[in-house]
């Protein structure tokens, strides 16, 4: 039968379960948009800037596991979208990047938007495809989606030329189906036996360290932690993979960027089992720890093993399958190993450590503005355990990481390894579309908000009732804090002031001011009421950043220690000199 290119693409997307295509139409893909108009399965979501298209598809997947499509015009659409695509690439988030190509059946040169798109996208996607015929469209799109979801997930780009959209093609839909799923790697019997032997050797006190790759394995991770009586730390991305109310939950990290109790507990362990993580710079607080060795490192992607820390045993395996096998082996009928007894001393240190951290935050309350912990605690209490938080690149990410206690993965969405400012508002909209039943709260820095805050217009237009809390310190604090510590001055990191309420009014969104701790509960409740009525809301928070996070304090120290001695002396000397002279 004959089908248009647009109809074939829409059919492939729908068969992949894709419900949302984020982007802005252009002359090259209006045929596709017309086909969207005929579809009741795919909603094209109009964004204000294509970088948000990537962040929305990212938030959609992280919150709900649903694949999103970034749908962009050639050249300018792609270059705007690259930030969101690159964030997804570095953070392991799958998405279909549906690029549109210029005419190929022409002898003309210097066409509109004519750049080598696949070359531009190649470093930030897992693969690129350029179907040549209409018949290739459907199978190529299905293959691209399968690849995006497999292994370490990530974006995959397919460029569809306008030629294919403008014409009809002879195709056989009866022959269409999903692409073969790539094999899921698992551990061999020998690898499981070696891991078991290392873990159950006499005197071994393991530390478990879990990343986003372990997000489908919470139950197994819990069973293993209890069986080994091992404390569990997670990466930043992995926040919530292990329930954070559990007595064995340590921290999101365990090195110099963690509070003293977490550092001490980790230092007392003598083996690390790391699952579904890759020891990235941000996750490790700038490589601010060495995993207590020996290290058993398990990841679905063999390339991450032995990269930052050599492993005694590196295993290429999907987390849940690995943990199931390991638990079977530990409790095997032939050679059952005794489960470790609960360690009251360990649990006491962890409990008292968390209590002390909490006490500090409460005691260091702001006198005239909003204390971060007071706000985050109130948000958790008012919105309950189903709430989804998005964070941005900035101080807010680390405050949220340290103050929120989450029981499940998919509740803390943050741009970590690419760390791109502008993530939180569009990611919240993506999350809200994927999980309409969950309250979604964006924690945006006042610098980051300037980049993508206008997407509140999209939230209003799409009727996604997100709450955006803008943390107003009138600084690029994450950088200004580094600058004032190291240089005793902050250059180009003070923000010019702007009136947030006017922006809210301009895009037709309600707004609230939150000026002090005393108002926190009342304002959070008012924001919640607006969301429950189906409308987005913006909150202007006079945040007090005077207490630095454990993360920032740790990273400043670690970075200093990574410098060669003469440079260290220069840095410290300059900071002291400027403090003494007031310069
Ligand atoms: C696109 C982009 N530009 C610059 C940076 C560098 N950077 C990291 S955090 C930060 C400060 C963010 O300021 P703001 O949004 O106000 O958050 P705050 O730290 O003040 O909470 C900057 C400039 C970045 N990560 N991403
Ligand atoms: Mg700021």
């Amino acid at each position: 039968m004959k089908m248009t290119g647009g109809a074939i693409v829409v059919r492939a997307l729908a068969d992949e379960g894709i419900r949302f295509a984020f982007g802005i139409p252009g002359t090259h893909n209006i045929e596709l948009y017309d086909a969207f108009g005929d579809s009741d399965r795919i909603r094209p979501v109009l964004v204000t800037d294509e970088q948000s298209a990537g962040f929305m598809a990212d938030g959609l997947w992280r919150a709900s596991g649903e694949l999103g499509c970034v749908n962009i015009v050639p050249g300018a659409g792609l270059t705007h979208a690259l930030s969101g695509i690159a964030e997804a690439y570095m953070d392991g988030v799958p998405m279909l990047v549906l690029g549109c190509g210029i005419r190929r059946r022409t002898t003309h040169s210097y066409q509109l938007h004519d750049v080598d798109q696949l070359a531009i996208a190649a470093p930030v996607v897992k693969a690129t495809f350029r179907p040549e015929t209409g018949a290739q469209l459907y199978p190529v799109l299905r293959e691209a989606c399968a690849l995006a979801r497999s292994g370490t997930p990530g974006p995959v780009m397919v460029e569809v030329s306008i030629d294919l959209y403008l014409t009809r093609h002879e195709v056989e839909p009866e022959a269409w189906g999903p692409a073969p799923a790539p094999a899921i790697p698992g551990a061999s019997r020998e690898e499981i036996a070696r891991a078991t032997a290392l873990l159950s050797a006499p005197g071994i006190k393991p530390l478990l360290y879990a990343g986003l790759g372990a997000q489908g394995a919470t139950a197994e991770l819990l069973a293993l932690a209890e069986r080994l009586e091992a404390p569990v730390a997670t990466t930043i991305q992995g926040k919530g993979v292990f329930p954070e109310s559990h007595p064995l939950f340590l921290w999101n990290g365990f090195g110099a960027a963690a509070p003293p109790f977490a550092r001490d507990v980790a230092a007392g362990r003598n083996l690390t089992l790391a699952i579904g993580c890759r020891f990235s710079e941000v996750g490790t607080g700038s490589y601010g720890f060495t995993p207590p060795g020996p290290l058993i490192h398990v990841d679905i992607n063999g390339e991450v093993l032995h990269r930052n820390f050599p492993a005694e045993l590196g295993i290429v395996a999907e987390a849940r399958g690995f943990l199931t096998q390991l638990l079977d082996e530990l409790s095997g009928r032939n050679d059952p190993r005794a489960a470790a007894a609960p360690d009251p001393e360990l649990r006491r240190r962890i409990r008292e450590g968390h209590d002390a951290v909490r006490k500090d935050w409460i005691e260091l309350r702001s006198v005239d503005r909003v204390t971060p912990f007071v706000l985050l605690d109130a948000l958790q209490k008012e919105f309950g355990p189903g709430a989804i938080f998005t964070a941005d690149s900035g101080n807010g990410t680390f405050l949220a990481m340290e103050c929120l206690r989450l029981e499940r993965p998919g509740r803390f969405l943050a741009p970590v390894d690419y760390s791109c400012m502008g993530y939180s508002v569009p990611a919240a909209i993506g999350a809200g579309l994927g999980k309409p039943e969950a309250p979604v709260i964006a924690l945006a820095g006042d610098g980051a908000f300037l980049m993508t805050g206008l997407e509140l217009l999209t939230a209003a237009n799409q009727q996604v009732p997100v709450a955006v809390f803008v943390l107003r310190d009138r600084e690029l604090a994450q950088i200004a804090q580094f600058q004032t510590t190291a240089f005793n001055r902050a250059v180009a990191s003070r923000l010019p002031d702007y009136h947030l309420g006017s922006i809210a009014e301009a895009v037709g969104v309600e707004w609230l001011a939150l000026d002090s701790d005393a108002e926190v509960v009342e304002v959070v409740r008012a924001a919640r009421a607006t969301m429950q009525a189906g409308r987005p809301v913006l909150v202007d928070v006079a945040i007090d950043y005077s207490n630095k996070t454990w993360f920032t304090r740790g990273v400043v120290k670690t970075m200093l220690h990574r410098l060669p001695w003469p440079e260290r002396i220069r840095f410290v000397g300059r900071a002291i000199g400027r403090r003494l002279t007031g310069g």
Side-chain angles (χ1 to χ4, degrees):
M1 66 181 284
K2 281 213 181 271
M3 283 175 80
T4 64
I8 299 170
V9 170
V10 166
R11 170 74 189 273
L13 266 52
D15 289 355
E16 277 295 332
I18 291 175
R19 292 192 299 146
F20 302 103
F22 304 99
I24 300 179
T27 50
H28 293 78
N29 62 2
I30 41 179
E31 274 280 343
L32 171 64
Y33 273 86
D34 201 56
F36 284 146
D38 290 333
S39 170
D40 53 6
R41 290 164 75 186
I42 298 176
R43 191 200 308 183
V45 176
L46 177 63
V47 299
T48 66
D49 178 324
E50 284 95 344
Q51 72 170 309
S52 304
F55 295 142
M56 285 182 197
D58 174 317
L60 173 73
W61 183 80
R62 293 199 214 201
S64 68
E66 190 175 322
L67 193 70
C69 171
V70 175
N71 183 35
I72 40 182
V73 301
L78 174 67
T79 48
H80 270 25
L82 278 174
S83 294
I85 299 169
E87 188 70 61
Y89 181 68
M90 284 205 70
D91 282 357
V93 175
M95 62 183 58
L96 173 66
V97 181
L98 183 58
C100 192
I102 57 168
R103 281 173 201 266
R104 272 179 255 139
R105 293 175 201 149
T106 176
T107 52
H108 291 116
S109 296
Y110 313 121
Q111 291 183 55
L112 169 67
H113 299 319
D114 182 1
V115 291
D116 184 349
Q117 299 197 93
L118 299 194
I120 289 174
V124 292
V125 294
K126 289 174 77 175
T128 58
F129 294 90
R130 182 183 277 155
E132 297 295 333
T133 66
Q136 287 173 2
L137 281 174
Y138 184 92
V140 165
L141 284 163
R142 300 290 314 255
E143 187 186 341
C145 292
L147 188 61
R149 297 178 212 259
S150 69
T152 303
V156 174
M157 173 155 179
V158 180
E159 182 194 282
V160 179
S161 158
I162 179 175
D163 297 329
L164 297 180
Y165 282 134
L166 290 178
T167 47
R168 286 174 305 148
H169 312 280
E170 190 60 42
V171 286
E172 290 174 38
E174 353 25 275
W176 286 345
I184 298 172
S188 67
R189 289 178 68 95
E190 293 72 38
E191 286 169 330
I192 293 292
R194 274 193 69 199
T196 307
L198 283 167
L199 281 164
S200 46
I204 284 297
K205 294 197 288 176
L207 170 72
L208 303 186
Y209 183 55
L212 189 64
Q215 68 174 331
T218 293
E220 292 75 12
L221 196 57
L222 195 67
L224 184 68
E226 288 178 355
R227 184 164 186 101
L228 301 173
E229 188 63 8
V232 184
T234 76
T235 63
I236 304 174
Q237 291 261 40
K239 188 169 177 66
V241 160
F242 188 80
E244 297 186 345
S245 62
H246 193 281
L248 290 170
F249 169 66
L250 193 61
W251 197 255
N252 307 122
F254 55 86
F261 87 92
R263 264 178 260 159
D264 294 347
V265 167
R269 313 307 289 181
N270 53 17
L271 180 145
T272 306
L273 171 57
I275 304 161
C277 65
R278 54 189 194 175
F279 299 104
S280 71
E281 175 168 10
V282 184
T284 57
S286 220
Y287 315 109
F289 61 70
T290 304
L295 169 66
I296 306 173
H297 191 179
V298 183
D299 197 88
I300 198 163
N301 178 3
E303 285 177 21
V304 310
L305 307 178
H306 310 289
R307 287 292 279 273
N308 285 332
F309 298 105
E312 170 82 18
L313 177 59
I315 299 178
V316 183
E318 182 274 328
R320 185 149 175 246
F322 167 79
L323 285 167
T324 308
Q325 278 176 282
L326 183 66
L327 284 161
D328 281 354
E329 181 81 9
L330 285 165
S331 57
R333 238 179 285 145
N334 297 337
D335 181 17
R337 323 263 162 160
D343 180 343
E345 170 62 11
L346 170 69
R347 291 181 178 223
R348 183 190 59 76
R349 285 171 69 196
I350 293 177
R351 190 182 57 248
E352 289 180 3
H354 283 294
D355 288 349
V357 165
R358 210 181 151 90
K359 196 162 151 261
D360 264 5
W361 284 329
I362 295 170
E363 276 175 4
L364 297 168
R365 269 185 186 226
S366 177
V367 281
D368 54 355
R369 282 169 291 157
V370 176
T371 312
F373 174 73
V374 172
L375 172 63
L376 290 158
D377 196 46
L379 287 171
Q380 282 217 273
K381 286 193 177 119
E382 292 299 325
F383 286 99
I388 296 170
F389 295 89
T390 66
D392 227 297
S393 174
N395 202 34
T397 297
F398 306 108
L399 281 171
M401 175 189 93
E402 295 187 2
C403 296
L404 297 173
R405 289 290 165 270
L406 303 180
E407 300 306 299
R408 269 178 280 170
R411 297 285 187 275
F412 178 70
L413 323 184
V416 175
D417 284 338
Y418 198 58
S419 202
C420 191
M421 285 168 71
Y423 176 87
S424 61
V425 176
I429 296 170
L433 286 167
K435 284 244 167 200
E437 69 286 3
V440 184
I441 299 129
L443 303 164
D446 48 2
F449 181 81
L450 289 172
M451 295 184 178
T452 52
L454 283 184
E455 295 298 349
L456 274 172
L457 184 64
T458 309
N461 183 36
Q462 297 286 331
Q463 297 175 324
V464 188
V466 295
V468 177
F469 283 74
V470 181
L471 311 174
R472 295 301 297 285
D473 65 328
R474 292 168 173 77
E475 269 192 344
L476 303 168
Q478 189 63 19
I479 305 305
Q481 287 184 4
F482 273 79
Q483 289 176 316
T484 33
T485 309
F487 307 109
N488 201 34
R489 64 186 184 205
V491 178
S493 53
R494 301 248 147 78
L495 284 170
D497 206 3
Y498 59 92
H499 189 248
L500 204 54
S502 301
I503 296 178
E505 281 163 16
V507 295
V509 165
E510 284 156 67
W511 73 285
L512 301 158
L514 173 49
D515 292 324
S516 68
D517 284 353
E519 299 169 5
V520 164
V521 172
E522 182 196 335
V523 171
V524 168
R525 284 189 184 152
R528 187 163 159 241
T530 307
M531 293 162 82
Q532 281 170 339
R535 297 189 302 274
V537 59
L538 184 68
V539 185
D540 183 344
V541 184
I543 199 81
D544 186 340
Y545 276 165
S546 48
N547 293 306
K548 294 195 183 72
T549 57
W550 290 106
F551 187 89
T552 298
R553 281 187 257 178
V555 169
V556 169
K557 233 185 272 166
T558 304
M559 289 192 36
L560 188 66
H561 286 146
R562 279 171 62 196
L563 287 173
W565 266 109
E567 300 308 325
R568 246 194 255 187
I569 292 164
R570 182 175 70 84
F571 261 74
V572 175
R574 177 174 55 191
I576 294 173
R578 284 188 182 164
R579 276 195 177 85
L580 290 177
T581 60

